[in-house]
Each structure stands twice: as C-alpha cells, then as structure tokens.
Amino acid sequence: MAAIETERLLLRRWRNEDSEPFGRMNGDPVVMEHFPALLSKAESDRSIDWIEAHFERHGFGLWAAELRATGAFIGFIGLAIPRFEAPFTPCVEIGWRLDPANWGRGLATEGAQAVARHAFDVLKLDEVVSFTIPANLRSRRVMEKLGMTHDPRDDFNHPNLPPGHPMRRHVLYRLKYPLP
Ligand SMILES: CC(C)(COP(=O)(O)OP(=O)(O)OC[C@H]1O[C@@H](n2cnc3c(N)ncnc32)[C@H](O)[C@@H]1OP(=O)(O)O)[C@@H](O)C(=O)NCCC(=O)NCCS
C-alpha cells in the first residue's frame, strides 16, 4: 500500500527530500545509541535504496513517517523482512526510528499500531516480531504498548555481530494475530 494515515501521521513511500533529514538522524549518536555504528550519509542513502527495493519486491516496507500537521519527515515506521538467519526467521519485523525532537509523544506507538493492523488485515500475516538490545528500553516500551509479548527463550545472538560484541544479545518480541 502506498500510504497509511493515522491521527497525526502519514506513513508513505520515500521521496528524494527525505535523504537529508534521514542522513542527519542516522549520524546522530542519540538516535543510534543502541546500534553498533552511526551511518555515513552514503550508508544512509543506501539504506533508503534498500527500503524502496523492499517495497517494490514485497509491496510493504519501512514507511517514511511524516507529521500530517506540518508535512515534516520524522523517520520511519514499518515492516521489513530481515536478511539474516535465526531460529525465528523467516519472519516479518515491525520497526521504527524517529527524530528525537518527536520522541515521547506516542508517535511510534500510534504509527506502529496502524502498521500492525495493516500487517494482519491487509497482508494477512499471522505474526510480526520485533527485536532490539536489552538496554533499548524506549523501543521495548513501544513493543509492550503494542501488546507484543517477550519470552526470554526467544532471545538470541545477532548473527551479524561477532562473539563478544556488547550488542550481540537481543530480545525478541512477538505479536500474533488476532490482536489482543
Ligand atoms: C524507539 C522510538 C521509536 C520511540 O519513539 P516514541 O515516539 O518516543 O515512542 P512512544 O512515545 O510511542 O513511546 C515511548 C515509551 O517509552 C517510554 N520511555 C522513554 N524513555 C524511557 C526510558 N529511558 N526507559 C523506559 N521507558 C522509556 C516513554 O515514557 C513511552 O512510554 P509511555 O507511553 O508508557 O510513557 C524512538 O525512541 C527512537 O527512534 N529511538 C532510536 C531508534 C531505535 O532505537 N529504534 C528501535 C530499534 S529496535
């Protein structure tokens, strides 16, 4: 689907103008605190290319999030098929990354609720998952507010990170259809 609307957000396909603000976010240590590395502008642009290719291939993806009130780009909220192998793959991940100026207003949760409904009602998926490092309490809180559940037996070592890396351990949350 091209776009999803919520009370305050438009979740839409990416535009060229998103490259600058998304590049600033991906180079911001506050945004990237729980990721292994900041992204250069070139890496950030490559990730937009990957996201758009995912939309073309699967018909869904990490939608660019725009504030309806101002039209400002504030990050992404959406769905992605992880490229690594783990005990819970293949799967569809629900994920989010927003500009810190807009944190704490319930926007990630609002957008993710609409994305989860899209995943179940339109795409007919029977489950979405989400994962992060244990210390990412903000993101875990969004997962909990969505009604996702965490079974510690699902926790895993991220295969893209080497043994001993401090961010290797991840917690996995699941949301199954029908929604609670
Ligand atoms: C995770 C992220 C998208 C959340 O966006 P947001 O719009 O602020 O999220 P919401 O406002 O919907 O919910 C955030 C919740 O976390 C809570 N929270 C904020 N800081 C917290 C902290 N240090 N510890 C615990 N909870 C915290 C908020 O109080 C809120 O919960 P509440 O509604 O019960 O009060 C945003 O912080 C972000 O982009 N982080 C960087 C990128 C990232 O880590 N993405 C996730 C990768 S898995």
Side-chain angles (χ1 to χ4, degrees):
M1 188 190 278
I4 297 176
E5 263 188 9
T6 71
E7 187 189 341
R8 292 175 293 172
L9 293 171
L10 176 66
L11 304 179
R12 57 156 175 78
R13 294 286 291 268
W14 291 67
R15 299 194 191 124
N16 291 340
E17 310 88 87
D18 303 330
S19 157
E20 288 300 328
F22 194 52
R24 276 197 299 278
M25 283 175 56
N26 288 326
D28 180 345
V30 173
V31 175
M32 302 305 276
E33 179 185 357
H34 301 297
F35 292 89
L38 303 181
L39 299 190
S40 69
K41 179 64 166 48
E43 287 168 329
S44 176
D45 284 345
R46 273 203 295 278
S47 69
I48 296 178
D49 292 344
W50 182 82
I51 290 168
E52 272 297 320
H54 188 292
F55 272 106
E56 291 300 321
R57 180 158 177 205
H58 300 292
F60 63 86
L62 298 169
W63 282 275
E66 178 177 310
L67 281 181
R68 288 177 60 191
T70 61
F73 168 90
I74 60 160
F76 69 68
I77 304 172
L79 301 167
I81 299 176
R83 286 173 284 183
F84 60 82
E85 279 184 33
F88 55 88
T89 63
C91 67
V92 176
E93 176 195 5
I94 185 165
W96 34 73
R97 187 179 306 166
L98 298 182
D99 184 302
N102 290 285
W103 289 3
R105 300 169 55 203
L107 289 167
T109 305
E110 179 177 318
Q113 279 166 341
V115 166
R117 276 195 301 275
H118 181 81
F120 295 133
D121 296 347
V122 180
L123 302 175
K124 306 290 183 197
L125 302 181
D126 52 18
E127 181 180 68
V128 294
V129 305
S130 196
F131 47 84
T132 188
I133 64 168
N136 194 349
L137 298 178
R138 283 188 194 87
S139 194
R140 294 180 69 172
R141 183 76 192 120
V142 173
M143 296 172 198
E144 285 160 10
K145 288 196 289 180
L146 283 177
M148 301 190 89
T149 54
H150 171 222
D151 182 341
R153 287 171 298 185
D154 281 331
D155 292 352
F156 67 105
N157 294 324
H158 201 300
N160 292 352
L161 294 173
H165 191 288
M167 294 189 178
R168 194 160 185 244
R169 196 71 188 154
H170 277 61
V171 288
L172 181 86
Y173 284 69
R174 296 178 186 268
L175 187 63
K176 289 184 195 295
Y177 181 84
L179 290 174

